[in-house]
């Protein structure tokens, strides 16, 4: 019944609702304007610059395809020339959130992520008037470099690597080796998972894959429930990346922080310095990492009844997943047929893992961008080479790779649908609508908390943290600077840092808890958890950390008065 109503509503929206156009202006310097791929349009100055800019962007957008268009405005006033990056965003009002609402409702009702994402994507396509779902929606989105790169990485490379490790027994050998040297039970197994999460500070999908893949056999052998493991893996991914930010985060986020006339945000180096100076204010990330450690040592103060039941079930019965659950990679769980006479060695696991980490971190240090596919490709090749050298036949090796690909197929399809869902939500302007809805209600004292709530709503609904940054920061930073100036605060820079940190952490929290996020799906996939069990069990401890963070930000904002 829900889908019938949702589909009919989506068709009605696509045929009857006209999108609202919103123009955002950001002042830029001449170098940025000349380096931009957008068209530079000269405009003679008038009393009100907003009107001609709005007209120009609207005119340019009429000829574009999609929901967004942008131009560079060269504003000429006598001998002075200024540049503005003018972006047209469209949203469909409250209907922009319909696909996200349908997907989330189906997640809660069916506990089936693929059905839920497909339902949300269907409503999004119909709301945009796109009725040919294959040619107009799936092929253009899945055919992008981003989607195809994810498919190659997590289906071919990750699936193949897991299959080889399963066929050779390398993962089990690592579990036995770690058990002899470091692990004495569930608690120490979880501490190892926590420590690896800190070590792999690249964050996001990189951390979830590395930690989940490395620790799962160790945790399984010590009766750590998959709900516990998935929470530890997820909460030591992006939170760690935002604190130990020697990764791609500062370079991306600084590009969104430019505010005209603000010296400490004027240049790229100044904005990166601002990012690192604000790290101590990342209260959610700090509380999340502390809370995860407390969970690892069985001292979590607020974990909720579902989490507690999962712990008791795994310790008492050895059931790592809830009875009746649907783990994301169930077919991998039972592939343990190591060929007769083949003796697994821990080096078959550690050497490919070391190669993977070295290439990922090394390429980041050298070029500023971690080449993750290179890393996983080299790890897969090394794992295959070691297996063949130690006596595995080509036929046995290919059988292992085949089993790994089969096990990763479902999770990869869910990832593709998450990308489709996020793209359609962005085209409908869901994030832009939420900003317009709440943007006028911000008071100085409550601004960090309201920004946090707004950003969480966007990240949770769209399932993307970096996409949320692109929506919120260009609006939140000028607003924070303006409020700090108008309120005559005693510490205006600190106040802006608090607002910056609340958005940074809110996007991490919302993305982490969203069932349609690629990192959430990957966490469930690599730890063998049921997706909705992972989402529901981590809501309480993650929400507790978020609540503490909001209190801390409000207190600091009050101190700035």
């Amino acid at each position: 019944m829900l889908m019938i109503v949702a589909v009919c509503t989506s068709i009605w929206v696509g045929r009857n609702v006209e999108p609202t156009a919103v123009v955002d202006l950001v002042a830029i310097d001449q170098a940025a304007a000349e380096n931009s791929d957008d068209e530079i349009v000269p405009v003679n100055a008038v009393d009100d610059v907003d009107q001609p800019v709005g007209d120009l962007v609207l005119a340019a957008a009429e000829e574009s395809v999609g929901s967004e268009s942008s131009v560079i405005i060269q504003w000429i006033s006598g001998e002075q020339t200024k540049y503005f990056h003018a972006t047209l965003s469209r949203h469909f009002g409250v209907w922009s959130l319909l696909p996200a609402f349908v997907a989330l409702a189906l997640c809660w009702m069916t506990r089936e992520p693929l059905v839920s994402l497909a339902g949300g994507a269907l409503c999004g396509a119909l709301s945009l008037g796109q009725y040919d779902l294959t040619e107009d929606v799936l092929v253009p989105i899945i055919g992008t470099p981003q989607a195809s790169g994810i498919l190659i990485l997590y289906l071919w490379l990750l699936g193949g690597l897991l299959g080889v490790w399963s066929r050779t027994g390398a993962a089990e050998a690592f579990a036995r080796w770690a058990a002899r040297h470091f692990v004495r039970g569930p608690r120490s197994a979880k501490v190892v998972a926590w420590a690896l999460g800190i070590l792999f500070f690249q964050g996001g999908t990189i951390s979830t894959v590395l930690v989940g893949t490395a620790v799962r056999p160790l945790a399984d052998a010590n009766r750590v429930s998959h709900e516990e493991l998935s929470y530890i893996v997820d909460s030591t991914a992006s939170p760690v990346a935002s604190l130990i930010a020697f990764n791609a985060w500062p370079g991306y986020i600084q590009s969104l922080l430019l505010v005209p006339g603000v010296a400490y945000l004027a240049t790229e180096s100044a904005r990166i310095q601002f990012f690192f100076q604000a790290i101590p204010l990342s209260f959610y990330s700090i509380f999340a990492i502390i809370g995860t450690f407390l969970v690892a040592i069985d001292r979590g103060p607020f974990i909720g009844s579902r989490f507690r039941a999962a712990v008791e079930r795994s310790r008492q019965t050895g059931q790592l997943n809830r009875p009746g659950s649907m783990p994301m990679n169930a077919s991998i769980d039972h592939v343990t047929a190591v060929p007769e006479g083949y003796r697994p060695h821990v080096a078959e696991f550690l050497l490919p893992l070391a190669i993977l980490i070295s290439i990922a971190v090394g390429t980041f240090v050298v070029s500023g961008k971690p080449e993750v596919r290179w890393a996983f490709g080299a790890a897969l090749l090394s794992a295959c080479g070691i297996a063949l050298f130690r006596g595995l036949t080509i036929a046995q090796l290919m059988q292992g790779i085949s089993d790994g690909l089969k096990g990763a197929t479902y999770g990869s399809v869910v990832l593709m649908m998450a990308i489709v869902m996020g793209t359609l939500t962005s085209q409908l302007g869901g994030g832009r609508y939420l900003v317009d809805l709440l943007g006028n209600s911000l008071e100085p004292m409550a601004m960090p908390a309201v920004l946090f709530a707004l950003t969480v709503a966007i990240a949770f609904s769209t399932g993307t943290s970096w996409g949320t940054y692109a929506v919120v920061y260009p609006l939140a930073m000028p607003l924070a600077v303006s409020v700090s100036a108008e309120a005559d605060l005693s510490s205006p820079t600190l106040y802006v840092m608090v607002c910056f940190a609340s958005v940074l952490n809110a996007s991490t929290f919302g993305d982490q808890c969203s069932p349609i996020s690629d990192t959430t799906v990957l966490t469930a996939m690599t730890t063998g958890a049921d997706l909705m069990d992972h989402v529901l069990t981590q809501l309480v401890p993650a929400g507790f950390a978020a609540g503490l963070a909001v209190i801390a930000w409000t207190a600091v904002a009050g101190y700035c008065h």
Side-chain angles (χ1 to χ4, degrees):
M1 178 60 71
L2 172 64
M3 277 307 302
I4 294 175
V5 174
V7 167
C8 293
T9 304
S10 300
I11 294 174
W12 177 83
V13 170
R15 293 185 175 183
N16 297 281
V17 177
E18 291 294 328
T20 300
V22 181
V23 175
D24 294 317
L25 287 178
V26 177
I28 60 176
D29 56 27
Q30 182 176 354
E34 293 175 349
N35 292 329
S36 173
D37 293 332
D38 293 323
E39 178 186 1
I40 298 180
V41 180
V43 178
N44 290 323
V46 293
D47 292 337
D48 183 3
V49 68
D50 290 342
Q51 186 59 42
V53 169
D55 290 344
L56 284 168
V57 177
L58 287 171
E62 289 176 355
E63 301 178 0
S64 66
V65 177
S67 62
E68 187 171 300
S69 179
S70 59
V71 294
I72 302 295
I73 303 302
Q74 184 185 35
W75 185 39
I76 304 171
S77 177
E79 297 181 355
Q80 292 185 343
T81 300
K82 297 181 179 180
Y83 294 88
F84 296 88
H85 185 256
T87 304
L88 170 70
S89 300
R90 289 192 176 97
H91 66 74
F92 289 74
V94 69
W95 304 113
S96 299
L97 303 178
L98 178 62
F101 170 78
V102 171
L104 294 173
L106 288 174
C107 273
W108 298 112
M109 293 170 58
T110 68
R111 305 174 73 90
E112 285 285 352
L114 185 56
V115 172
S116 306
L117 290 168
L122 173 62
C123 292
L126 296 177
S127 297
L128 290 168
Q130 299 173 343
Y131 301 106
D132 189 340
L133 299 182
T134 54
E135 298 300 323
D136 292 342
V137 180
L138 295 179
V139 171
I141 296 177
I142 297 178
T144 60
Q146 176 198 13
S148 58
I150 289 176
L151 191 63
I152 291 173
L153 177 59
Y154 297 113
L155 176 59
W156 296 3
L157 301 180
L158 174 62
L161 183 60
L162 292 176
V164 173
W165 278 345
S166 181
R167 188 64 171 170
T168 61
E172 289 78 6
F174 167 75
R176 290 193 297 269
W177 175 80
R180 287 196 305 269
H181 292 82
F182 303 107
V183 177
R184 298 295 180 267
R187 183 181 301 178
S188 52
K190 291 187 292 182
V191 170
V192 169
W194 181 85
L196 288 178
I198 302 297
L199 178 63
F200 300 150
F201 55 83
Q202 293 301 312
T205 58
I206 302 174
S207 177
T208 55
V209 171
L210 290 178
V211 178
T213 301
V215 176
R216 182 184 168 189
L218 184 64
D220 287 357
N222 287 275
R223 293 192 172 191
V224 175
S225 71
H226 288 165
E227 292 93 331
E228 292 175 88
L229 182 59
S230 60
Y231 168 67
I232 293 173
V233 170
D234 214 353
S235 285
T236 52
S238 295
V240 171
S242 65
L243 290 177
I244 311 176
F246 299 99
N247 46 45
W249 287 49
Y252 168 70
I253 292 176
Q254 66 81 22
S255 65
L256 308 171
L257 304 182
L258 177 64
V259 179
V262 179
Y264 57 84
L265 298 175
T267 65
E268 178 178 342
S269 60
R271 293 191 293 271
I272 290 179
Q273 183 179 11
F274 175 85
F275 181 103
F276 281 96
Q277 289 175 340
I279 284 178
L281 298 172
S282 292
F283 295 128
Y284 169 71
S285 295
I286 295 172
F287 292 139
I289 294 171
I290 294 174
T292 306
F293 178 74
L294 293 176
V295 168
I297 62 174
D298 295 331
R299 293 292 186 271
F302 294 96
I303 60 175
S305 59
R306 290 178 181 271
F307 206 122
R308 192 172 295 107
V311 174
E312 294 175 355
R313 181 198 69 234
S314 63
R315 302 295 191 276
Q316 296 174 4
T317 69
Q319 290 182 317
L320 303 180
N321 284 301
R322 174 183 55 81
S325 64
M326 297 187 65
M328 290 290 294
N329 63 338
S331 60
I332 292 180
D333 292 342
H334 306 291
V335 181
T336 57
V338 178
E340 185 177 354
Y342 189 91
R343 299 187 61 182
H345 194 278
V346 65
E348 295 181 82
F349 185 87
L350 292 179
L351 184 57
L353 188 62
I355 291 174
L356 191 158
I357 297 171
S358 299
I359 294 178
V361 176
T363 52
F364 170 75
V365 172
V366 172
S367 66
K369 176 186 176 183
E371 296 292 348
V372 183
R373 285 187 287 275
W374 294 4
F376 271 91
L380 175 58
L381 289 176
S382 65
C384 293
I386 295 172
L388 292 173
F389 178 77
R390 301 194 70 247
L392 202 70
T393 68
I394 293 180
Q396 292 168 337
L397 176 65
M398 295 310 300
Q399 182 61 50
I401 293 176
S402 176
D403 291 335
L405 295 179
K406 291 176 184 177
T409 297
Y410 179 74
S412 298
V413 174
V414 173
L415 277 174
M416 291 300 101
M417 289 309 301
I419 292 174
V420 171
M421 173 70 189
T423 301
L424 292 173
T425 301
S426 176
Q427 291 176 358
L428 282 167
R432 175 73 246 193
Y433 167 69
L434 287 175
V435 169
D436 282 355
L437 181 66
L438 300 177
N440 295 325
S441 64
L442 303 180
E443 295 294 333
M445 185 72 174
M447 185 173 177
V450 177
L451 279 177
F452 183 85
L454 167 66
T455 309
V456 167
I458 295 174
F460 190 86
S461 300
T462 60
T464 170
S465 56
W466 281 27
T468 301
Y469 294 143
V471 171
V472 178
Y473 270 134
L475 304 168
M477 293 301 291
L479 185 60
V481 171
S482 175
V483 169
S484 66
E486 293 178 1
D488 194 23
L489 303 180
S490 60
S491 303
T493 304
L494 177 62
Y495 182 81
V496 175
M497 285 184 177
V498 171
C499 295
F500 164 81
S502 68
V503 173
L504 178 71
N505 286 233
S507 189
T508 298
F509 170 68
D511 178 49
Q512 175 187 338
C513 294
S514 174
I516 60 176
S517 164
D518 56 352
T519 52
T520 307
V521 173
L522 276 172
T523 299
M525 179 179 172
T526 56
T527 60
D530 178 286
L531 177 62
M532 289 310 298
D533 284 347
H534 167 48
V535 170
L536 293 173
T537 51
Q538 80 165 349
L539 277 177
V540 174
F544 178 69
L548 292 178
V550 169
I551 294 173
W553 285 317
T554 303
V556 177
Y559 169 80
C560 294
H561 275 274

